[in-house]
Amino acid sequence: MRLAFFTLLILISTISIAQQNPFPLKSIQEIQWVHPDSLRKADSLQAAGVAFNEAAFPHWLEDSRYWHVPPLSSAQYGDTFTVVGIVMNKPQMYALGNRYVVFIQDTAGGPWSGIIVLANDTTSSNTQATGIQVLDTGMVVKLVGRVEEFPASSSTGYTELFTVIPDPQTGQIIPIEVIDWKPQRPDPVEVRVSDFVSGNASTGGHKINFSTGEQWEDVYVVIKNVSVVNRSGTVGGRWTWWIGDDSGNVMQVYDGSRYFRGGSGGFDPNWTPPPIGTKLEYIRGVIVGVASGYAITPLYPGDVKILSYAPEINHAFTTPQKREPAKPTSTDPVKVRAIVKKTDPDPSVNVDTVKILYSVNYGPFNELLMSKISGDTLWEGTIPAQPNGSLVRYFFKAVDSKGQSSQLPGDTSNAYFYFVKDGELRIKDLQYTILNNGNTGFWDLRVTVRGIVTADTSDFPNESSLLLNPGSKDQLRVYIQDDTSAWSGIRLYGTKSYVAKRGDSVEVIG
Ligand SMILES: [Ca+2]
């Protein structure tokens, strides 16, 4: 009798759990798997130079349900499932807007075993009700999520599970269940850069390798024996950096983890990626989608292991002036300065040699030794005067006493540049660029230009609220122009420019 009563109780509680969660159990592999024919088709379109977007690449196969390109109808997404996986990161250490994010992996591991789980905020009572905020590495969880693809309009989005799902009958948020807690996260799977990209994704012209890469989306992997081939910082202190193998295949490293992010979103706002030229014994992380294809996102300290340290070269500073004069004439030799620091922790290692390599009018690069001019880190070299109208491009190389070397920029097609010009500096000189990234040759340099004010603060009344955010780039706008041809206009930043009114003729130092 007693046994029967117990059985009945268990039966009732099982039924009530089933009622609380009507969403079917689905493995991560079942959600992530894409038919190999679809992947090969995507590869072949890339090889043929066809843009991989919605128009060129509709869904070919019914069974590739969650895939990079937008669905034929939006109803195709939005399926909600119950999923079991092991948590790969604490949500508070991942930065993706004001959201909680955890990567989970099927405990069996292998291809198609990872997925990213998101709550769309960190503060609402609904999000709190899931319990996502207390998850930690190694927990095995059962959770309910709605499948989506982000970004939906891009070929390089990735599959996501949005948790915070209410029970359709009770309206209550279905909490995440912790069913086990392993002592550590699973070991990473070894993959290669060439599984994700053929060619250099940092410079473009590369092919994304869908048929070998897609299976590792959101999975924790390790890539061994790569070098840092490029890195660039942004105004907000964030970095984009790139790793490459010995065959010239290069993929991006994404700064999703706060341990590997600079600026306000990082645990250390002054964090920087290893200098260009650094050799990594390995980098571990989860694979995500970025504009250039697949990227690896290291999660925790220790996920990047340095094999050899390259000197760090910096050409982004304002004091002292990094190039002098900023606008050389045909009689001016040009002093170029760089700050070079050793990064090897071995105290006996020093920066040995720093060189400028410069090219005139796309001719061959000439080497020029720089000399240390003050303290330990400021180096200077002088590029000889060149004829009026010459284009001078330059980059840097540094070698330390262990023979470890680095270069800036890593990609010489984005070398620094200036034009030799006799006569007044015009706005066009500031705006015109030879670089694909649109950067001016006068970055961080102090110049004086003249122009007529074409628009003042009264022309952008709707932006007055942005004044509440002083110091940001989102300030009221003032534009000046000195000609009617292309490249002749420029925007002035800062409250000091607000005195300028439309029609004024002004001289600006900035
Ligand atoms: Ca996917």
Side-chain angles (χ1 to χ4, degrees), residues 31-32 34 66-68 112 149 157-159 214 217-218:
I31 295 170
Q32 286 284 31
V34 179
Y66 308 110
W67 173 229
H68 282 314
W112 311 108
E149 190 85 347
Y158 52 120
T159 311
E214 184 67 15
E217 179 189 280
D218 298 331

Side-chain angles (χ1 to χ4, degrees), residues 231-346:
R231 64 172 207 179
S232 57
T234 65
V235 175
R238 289 182 59 183
W239 289 85
T240 304
W241 55 297
W242 305 80
I243 51 164
D245 63 17
D246 290 342
S247 309
N249 303 307
V250 175
M251 70 187 288
Q252 191 186 322
V253 182
Y254 181 67
D255 65 344
S257 164
R258 297 187 194 279
Y259 290 104
F260 296 92
R261 173 174 292 210
S264 58
F267 286 140
D268 172 7
N270 298 316
W271 178 88
T272 59
I276 296 163
T278 304
K279 290 187 168 53
L280 305 182
E281 187 180 321
Y282 60 74
I283 179 169
R284 303 184 298 218
V286 284
I287 298 296
V288 299
V290 291
S292 64
Y294 298 103
I296 185 166
T297 305
L299 294 176
Y300 281 102
D303 276 348
V304 174
K305 175 97 186 280
I306 290 173
L307 186 68
S308 76
Y309 294 83
E312 184 171 68
I313 310 172
N314 179 1
H315 192 48
F317 49 88
T318 51
T319 313
Q321 180 135 302
K322 63 181 193 172
R323 190 171 81 221
E324 204 175 334
K327 185 201 73 72
T329 66
S330 56
T331 55
D332 292 324
V334 179
K335 286 180 177 163
V336 177
R337 297 171 182 131
I339 294 171
V340 185
K341 295 177 182 167
K342 69 154 191 167
T343 60
D344 196 315
D346 179 345

Side-chain angles (χ1 to χ4, degrees), residues 46 196-209 242 250 291-294:
Q46 288 247 314
F196 303 100
V197 64
S198 299
N200 187 335
S202 141
T203 55
H206 59 292
K207 298 286 184 294
I208 305 169
N209 292 335
W242 305 80
V250 175
S292 64
Y294 298 103

